[in-house]
Amino acid sequence: MTHFIALGALAVAQAGGVTTLSAQSGAGPTDADLMSSATNTGAVLTNGMGPRGQRFSPLDQINAQTVSRLVPAFAASLGGEKQRGQESQPIVYDGTIYVTGSYSRLFAFDARTGEEKWEYDARLPDGIMPCCDVVNRGAAIYGDKIIFATLDAHIVALNRNTGKVVWNKKAADYEAGYSMTAAPLIVHGKVIYGNSGGEFGIIGRVEARDVNTGELVWSRPTIEGNVGQLNGKDSTMTGKLNASWQGDQWKTGGGAPWLGGTYDPETNLLYFGTGNPAPWNSHLRPGDNLYTSSTLAIDPDTGEIKWHYQYTPHDGWDFDGVNEFIPFDATVNGKKMKLGAQANRNGFFFVLDRTNGKFVSASPFVTKTTWASGYTKAGRPIYVDSNRPGAPTTDKGASVFSAPSFLGGKNWMPMAYSQQTGWFYVPSNEWGMDIWNEPITYKKGAAYLGAGFTIKPLYPDYIGALRAVDPATGKIMWTYKNKAPLWGGVLTTGGGLVFTGTPEGYLKAFDAKTGQELWKFNTGSGVVGSPVTWEQDGEQYIAVMSGWGGAVPLWGGEVAKAVQHINQGGSLWVFKLPKS
């Protein structure tokens, strides 16, 4: 077959020993196209299938009555020895499927045949320090460009037709522990992204770059005391110096917004979650440690923080707050409200007023939350003080058993919202951890935890649990239990279906109202990517990445041992209904 390989600034086609220049691209998706992408059934233009990230498609050709006939259209391998976790969400446009792969690769496949059009491999240095596998969660498309982030903290824009590098910008210093894995978000002609590396004492930042040039427009640190940038000049300080951090701790405070964000055109706000404070040992950093473990609402044009909500003040369990914040509308006590929801790693499902960040509700969506008994009406956790790991002296402090584990009631894997049922579908896990604190000092490029841990399953028969949650009440409407942890994203459709994958290799479809399993197909490796759907040539397609990996086999303790038999992989699977 014709195989395109991106080589530096040149993309060439190799066919039968003849090398020719690839065709140049034409016009592509605009800002308006991205903003309306949730209702564009002929393409998948954004991570989250719309700027709000609801992951709902109105397509209904594949439904509860027809899904049992779903069959593979093709599978496309990422090839080579670079397997590991494949957490990408596909982007689909103009007959091409774009997926990122492990080790910061980007592929373009023909959406009808699966034939590879081109491949770009980032030239990663040996010293990269990703905390949680060499994953990448997807790309962004705009005009003639496809854009993604790399493990050495670069943002790269490629010509979407050729794989040729348009621009390549260093966003941070990988030698200090910075990395990047999330799919960028494009708003108002700006590529907006967050960094990773909270386990290394870095400073989290949300940044925006000009989509055409890659030049930095603004930078917003997530830790109080650090100063932002706007148009090449210092702008405002994040928060107030030493308001919730002592001494110089704000210089190594973590708070990485490593999952990326969502955007609501109605409020003109970006919603980015922030990660754990550094170090994990909370006794070394008294105070709330703003703005870690929070959702930040950010002006997309200036980078100014408009409001924040902190889910776990003074986080001592690595619960993080980075999970996606999904805008939705609902009626509360007879009043129509613009709301947002987040299923937090700390085990609570939150609903906030997305216009101002005011707390509406918090309900547990897992069976055990030992660290807190609930939340006050003001939105502060009611801590169980005995469940905070003890302060260390010269050796480790007292160990506690805490649930959820630091891998979370829900980790990175995105939930979905159905505009049909009004429910959220949350991929959750039931596990706890023995956790203790240890002495630690900051050293550039070294892990900055100050804690030890062992993760354990709570129940012998299951860990993963896909749950339907009614955001109006916090009630769990149904639960599907899976023996291995769930680590992939969710898709919901106008056909009354919910799709998600399992480490055992299956892509599965469930009835959105009842939770009944209606269909499954084994892809040969664990599914930890996010499924999408679109319409092409009058037919509805479903696509998902297959390839086991991510944080579970690396950090999962006893859980990792239970799933060590699962084979790695690297492939894109595409499904449709057979023609009658």
Side-chain angles (χ1 to χ4, degrees), residues 219-240:
S219 178
R220 173 51 51 194
T222 61
I223 301 296
E224 279 186 338
N226 292 275
V227 176
Q229 286 187 306
L230 177 63
N231 297 324
K233 298 179 180 179
D234 287 348
S235 58
T236 58
M237 179 179 288
T238 298
K240 183 180 179 182

Side-chain angles (χ1 to χ4, degrees), residues 246 249 279 281-286 314 392 438-441 448 450:
Q246 293 187 349
Q249 292 179 337
N281 183 345
S282 62
H283 297 276
L284 298 179
R285 43 171 175 78
H314 197 215
E438 301 169 343
I440 189 73
T441 56
Y448 191 43

